Amino acid sequence: MSADAAGTEPDGRSYGPDDGILVAEDLRKEFGGLTAVDDLSFAVKEQEILGFIGPNGAGKSTTFNCVTGTYPPTDGTVYFKGDDVTGIPAHDMVKEGMSRTFQEFAPLEDRAVVKNVELALAPDELFTLSGMGGETEQLAREICRRVGLGGVMDQTPAELPHAGMLKLELARAIATQPDVMLVDEPFAGLSADEVQELTEVMESLRRHGMTLIVVDHNMRGLLNLIDRAFVIQFGSKIAEGTPEEIKNDPEVQEAYLGGEEI
Amino acid sequence: MATETPLEGDVDRRRRRAVVEKLLLRDLALRHRLGILGVGLLGLVPLLAQPRELNQFTSVLYLMMFAISWDVVSGYTGQLSFGHAFFFALGGYGTSVTVNQHLLPLAGDLGLTLGPVGTVLVILGGIVGGTLVAALGGVLIGVPALRLDGPYLSLVTLIAPLLLYQSLIIFSESLPVLAPGGLGGTSGLLNAPPSFVGIGELNTAVTVDQQWVGAVARYYISFLALLIVLAVTYGVTRSAAGSVFTAIREDEDAVRSVGMNPAKFKIFAFVLSAAIGGFAAAVWMHAGPNAAPNTENLFGSGRINLSINVIVVAIIGGMGTIVGSIVGALFFAFADAVVGGLVPNLKPLPTFLLGMLALVFLPRGVVPELTRFGRRLLAWRRGEVDRLLERDRSPSTLKRTAEKYREEIEEIVGGESR
């Protein structure tokens, strides 16, 4: 997918349900008098890796909390696979095929890493034989190996290093078998080698048909991964384009002036 | 996405075969074999005990079932119920009213003379009725309280048994349609419902002529009820749903984030728990020793004692284990009998003392501690010497549940330590 796929003009163009696998149209979220997301519109194409970037407090998390159903938006519409999914509960959104990782990960401390992943494979049913034949455990082990947790999957999450926790979050999201996966700050606090390892995992997911949205406050580490970046500030879009275009965009540089490096 | 997909092929058939393998008890871990041995030994108790002791022991079986019913919801999902006697009372009164005020008068109106088989059928009808009433009570409390995150269930369960207690007094003469004969007030229903087996009493299904035969028969009926409760709770908690329950105890958001609705699982666990508590109490009214539908029996003395006792029992044995409740009830009854026999006036003290000792020295409960000790012993026998002294630093279920509660309550009242 290239930069001009979904409209490169930073000015407001309207989006319809068929503009991509995930489309937000005039999304708005107010908390009391504070507008966290200000009529934001964007579209994510199938099998693309989109970087969703903005300085701290720009409204990235709020946007995706609205999109994934953590709380309903004040106004606007979210289309997923062409259907209106605005305001449906988070767990139903996962069933629709959209999963996410969390920055403040909270793995289940009472069970091994592989069991954490296995939970994501359990069906949302009260009476089930799922797991009886051991096949969900096999699948959970396979997912652990894919994300690089092969050697530590029988340990408890408390024993994992920071990178291991990020991988576990990724594995849990993968195990829900999503079509679109939202990855929140996957590279925070990782070494260059670990960034490379996770980049490869995400690229292989994309090759297998997954669409990824990577949320981060800067583009460090994302340059080799994303096809397109979408930059927001104060809840509105300020730029959209290839990573190179974004780096040279005057408005983006303004937004990051005196703060962090884009 | 995986090239190797274990979900291919006839998964359903493999799963069913795995279930059958489990039911045939092949390849059991040592602790499971010990568990089955223990349940088998429970079945042999009548060979050893005198009739009077046996009656006492039969009531321990009901304590086990009550504690299991608490454990299913509170031990597994971490939603603490402080008033489980609410369900015991609903089950006990439910069956008594169903049998004495509905089914028996109905049989009289129809001019039926009930033989042993007829009386047993009426009793079974009453047990089903009591179980349903308790389950309905679970739905009424659970659906509103459990759709919210946080400790709201605990608050509601504190009050529900007291409200029920008052209702028994308010409707002591008559409750229209539901209980035309009334609920009997604090002294309970004067006419106990018919029992399965008894000596020469008027309303028993089967009359025997010797005390001990009756005691043994009642023991085995109670034991059968325990086996049913065990089978149901084991089936549910050892399936994938059980791992969702414990995940809810750890972190509801984690469950939601992988596409499952925590409210659905919490409500199911709660209603199941209510039904089990109601079922056990209902069977007690027809097969237990000292079976009378009154507040002293079904709420415990002081209106809340039974609710507290089941919590103590489940925690001593080990929260979230099911079998822990069985072991815990044995400890509890033993302490109660020994200390209560030595110093009769200190009645609730020994049990609470036992609870405190368990909290300090065995916070995980007897069963999990023994399991861990056994595992280390086995590892040591395999030659992994250092594992014998290994310490597990992960906090116990009880501690984690209590901590989560503290956080949630602080969130409500605006505490500062968050």
Side-chain angles (χ1 to χ4, degrees), chain A residues 49-82:
Chain A
I49 302 185
L50 174 75
F52 200 88
I53 306 190
N56 286 325
K60 305 181 298 279
S61 302
T62 313
T63 304
F64 280 98
N65 283 340
C66 289
V67 168
T68 58
T70 307
Y71 36 68
T74 310
D75 202 5
T77 318
V78 181
Y79 297 102
F80 185 55
K81 298 182 193 166

Side-chain angles (χ1 to χ4, degrees), chain B residues 230-382:
Chain B
L230 264 182
V232 171
T233 51
Y234 243 74
V236 171
T237 56
R238 265 57 175 179
S239 76
S243 73
V244 180
F245 289 172
T246 50
I248 288 172
R249 185 179 70 202
E250 296 296 312
D251 186 355
E252 270 182 48
D253 287 330
V255 174
R256 208 172 283 121
S257 75
V258 292
M260 285 177 281
N261 182 358
K264 183 167 92 176
F265 285 88
K266 283 192 291 184
I267 291 169
F268 171 67
F270 191 67
V271 174
L272 177 72
S273 162
I276 288 168
F279 169 78
V283 176
W284 180 16
M285 292 300 111
H286 302 288
N290 189 24
N294 58 40
T295 52
E296 178 82 13
N297 271 347
L298 291 164
F299 288 93
S301 51
R303 304 186 194 186
I304 58 161
N305 274 23
L306 189 54
S307 297
I308 302 297
N309 285 354
V310 294
I311 300 176
V312 174
V313 164
I315 288 178
I316 292 175
M319 266 175 93
T321 58
I322 302 293
V323 273
S325 299
I326 295 181
V327 177
L330 289 175
F331 269 89
F332 187 92
F334 185 71
D336 207 39
V338 169
V339 188
L342 293 176
V343 258
N345 290 333
L346 292 175
K347 199 59 174 172
L349 197 65
T351 52
F352 293 162
L353 186 67
L354 187 71
M356 296 308 279
L357 288 176
L359 287 185
V360 174
F361 294 106
L362 295 170
R364 287 162 217 278
V366 174
V367 169
E369 291 282 3
L370 282 179
T371 310
R372 282 145 42 93
F373 180 70
R375 277 202 190 123
R376 281 185 299 202
L377 215 57
L378 288 177
W380 176 68
R381 257 186 54 188
R382 282 196 302 270

